[in-house]
Amino acid sequence: MTVSGRFTLLVALGVVPIVLLGRSPAAAGTILALWVLLCLGLGLLDLALAGSPRAVRLERSLPARVRLGETVTSLLYVTNSGSRRLRALVRDAWQPSAGAGNNRTALTIPAGERRLVSLRLTPFRRGERRVDRVTIRSYGPLGLWARQATLEAPGRIRVLPPFNARKHLPSRITRLKELDGRTSVLVRGQGTEFDSLREYVRGDDVRSIDWRATARHNDVVVRTWRPERDRRVVIVIDTGRTSAARIDDETRLDTAFEAALLLAALASKAGDRVDMIAFDRRVRGRVQGAQGAELLSRMVDTLAVIDPELLEMDWAGVPAQVRGITSQRALVVLLTSIDAAGASTGLLAVLPQLTRRHTVVVASVTDPTTLQATLERADREQVYRAAAAERALLDVARVATAIRQQGADVVTGPPAELPPRLADHYLALKLAGRL
């Protein structure tokens, strides 16, 4: 049972008869007692006439998935199965991160009828956003006292990564088509898969001349190649403690998800097979054997519920995970951080095992505020900050040099630029015939 503001105001109005009729302390006390009894009687009568909140049936209708930042509508059907009219305030108890806003709705439902509570949700965190209960506060005709009950009405929405980097996909697919010779702009790369023969033109590589075809045609003929197809791309996402750092209002892990999704979409369009694994000390998520639209669907569904773990990354277990996915030569993309030499010791130790069998790319997000700090030297505090930023950039450069010495490539960039840079590097590898 709850008391409304109306009841409090009604009790406070008792001051009026006390002031007007209370000629003596005894008379004022009597008036006060009678007024309180009147208020309690009205409250009990109002409570008795209120509809039962437990005589309510609840049904939900929810979308299964939504991208982070998008808005969906939650539908809650409230059926009054009691014998009295229900005047209620309904609170749909979503998690705060579901972005429900004002989740209290006033309803009046006659006996035996049903009403719809529509609530707009704009989640601001990935993962499973849940609701378990609905609280119903049923008022009487006077609105003085209310009966309250909390009923079970479970529901959930999976909030997927936003994939903002998909805006870069059309331009990269166009470049991929040009690279593959499927548009009028014929730009062929030196690959390993034979495509066709054509007449020699000035500027062609003489190593591409097909001497047998030249002898048959009495003209110089060269071979043309196309980028390799049906290659393996293995994406390894570091979900350890360093992935929890926030850069540009998002975690390193969220940037890694954006880069992984863009690369997977592009490689799938190129005809390559993409596998993904999220790992720190154990496998947090895996997508294997999917192609086309199913690949991205499974990836976003898997990545949605993965959060950074406050554990050190077990780099020694990565080669075994890659071997478990494929025994063929593949492009292995490691999405991690290379901020300091000490934190990258494990990565540098296992790189020779990977580069011996695969083409390896290490992709890491950089903090744009660090670069900006090196340019601000107006006072002593900014000079010290600039020195620290320069030291951090030198550490990144040292680790990147050590990675390249181990035979791997390095791709770095701010959160908004890392995904397209990684996609461009993938296209460059195909153009160079290194996959």
Side-chain angles (χ1 to χ4, degrees), residues 366-396:
T366 56
D367 192 348
T369 60
T370 303
L371 183 59
Q372 180 63 29
T374 63
L375 306 176
E376 299 173 353
R377 306 183 183 187
D379 52 32
R380 179 184 301 176
E381 182 179 351
Q382 290 185 353
V383 169
Y384 279 112
R385 186 182 295 112
E390 293 283 4
R391 179 72 265 175
L393 293 177
L394 287 174
D395 288 341
V396 172

Side-chain angles (χ1 to χ4, degrees), residues 109-130:
I109 311 176
E113 295 189 12
R114 184 173 72 168
R115 294 292 183 271
L116 173 64
V117 176
S118 179
L119 189 63
R120 293 174 65 83
L121 305 177
T122 307
F124 54 85
R125 285 189 61 187
R126 287 185 297 102
E128 297 282 356
R129 304 277 72 85
R130 299 177 181 273

Side-chain angles (χ1 to χ4, degrees), residues 22-293:
R23 304 297 183 181
S24 64
T30 302
I31 293 172
L32 176 61
L34 292 174
W35 186 260
V36 171
L37 289 174
L38 174 64
C39 291
L40 291 175
L42 290 175
L44 290 172
L45 176 63
D46 197 41
L47 187 66
L49 296 176
S52 173
R54 298 191 178 278
V56 170
R57 296 198 312 270
L58 302 173
E59 301 174 38
R60 284 194 182 275
S61 177
L62 295 172
R65 295 170 178 81
V66 60
R67 289 195 182 277
L68 184 65
E70 294 182 353
T71 299
V72 294
T73 302
S74 165
L75 302 179
L76 178 68
Y77 295 94
V78 183
T79 303
N80 180 14
S81 57
S83 58
R84 292 193 179 94
R85 177 183 292 269
L86 183 70
R87 305 170 182 85
L89 184 66
V90 179
R91 178 180 179 269
D92 204 0
W94 280 93
Q95 290 177 298
S97 55
N102 182 15
N103 58 354
R104 292 171 171 81
T105 306
L107 293 177
T108 300
I109 311 176
E113 295 189 12
R114 184 173 72 168
R115 294 292 183 271
L116 173 64
V117 176
S118 179
L119 189 63
R120 293 174 65 83
L121 305 177
T122 307
F124 54 85
R125 285 189 61 187
R126 287 185 297 102
E128 297 282 356
R129 304 277 72 85
R130 299 177 181 273
V131 59
D132 295 322
R133 296 176 178 85
V134 174
T135 300
I136 299 177
R137 183 174 293 177
S138 173
Y139 291 92
L142 301 177
L144 300 177
W145 286 7
R147 305 164 68 179
Q148 181 170 304
T150 299
L151 308 178
E152 296 288 337
R156 67 175 186 175
I157 295 179
R158 175 163 292 193
V159 184
L160 307 177
F163 194 18
N164 295 322
R166 65 181 179 272
K167 62 186 177 184
H168 301 289
L169 187 58
S171 62
R172 270 61 187 182
I173 291 177
T174 301
R175 290 173 55 186
L176 179 65
K177 290 179 179 179
E178 294 174 357
L179 181 66
D180 202 19
R182 286 182 290 171
T183 66
S184 57
V185 182
L186 188 59
V187 182
R188 296 191 185 276
Q190 180 65 38
T192 60
E193 293 189 7
F194 174 74
D195 183 63
S196 61
L197 295 171
R198 62 171 173 80
E199 293 183 0
Y200 174 86
V201 296
R202 183 174 298 178
D204 283 339
D205 190 347
V206 295
R207 293 174 295 180
S208 299
I209 297 176
D210 189 317
W211 296 107
R212 292 185 178 181
T214 297
R216 289 196 302 267
H217 290 80
N218 294 322
D219 198 358
V220 181
V221 177
V222 294
R223 300 186 187 95
T224 59
W225 309 83
R226 67 177 181 181
E228 301 85 342
R229 287 178 167 274
D230 200 27
R231 296 303 191 260
R232 301 299 295 266
V233 178
V234 180
I235 303 173
V236 180
I237 301 176
D238 175 6
T239 59
R241 61 178 182 82
T242 57
S243 66
R246 298 193 69 85
I247 298 178
D248 264 9
D249 200 30
E250 69 179 24
T251 63
R252 290 181 183 272
L253 188 61
D254 289 323
T255 305
F257 288 170
E258 291 287 311
L261 290 170
L262 181 60
L263 177 61
L266 182 60
S268 179
K269 289 289 185 180
D272 293 334
R273 290 178 289 172
V274 181
D275 302 294
M276 185 276 298
I277 181 171
F279 181 78
D280 42 64
R281 290 188 175 273
R282 64 180 178 86
V283 177
R284 305 289 176 178
R286 184 194 298 270
V287 176
Q288 190 171 352
Q291 293 181 348

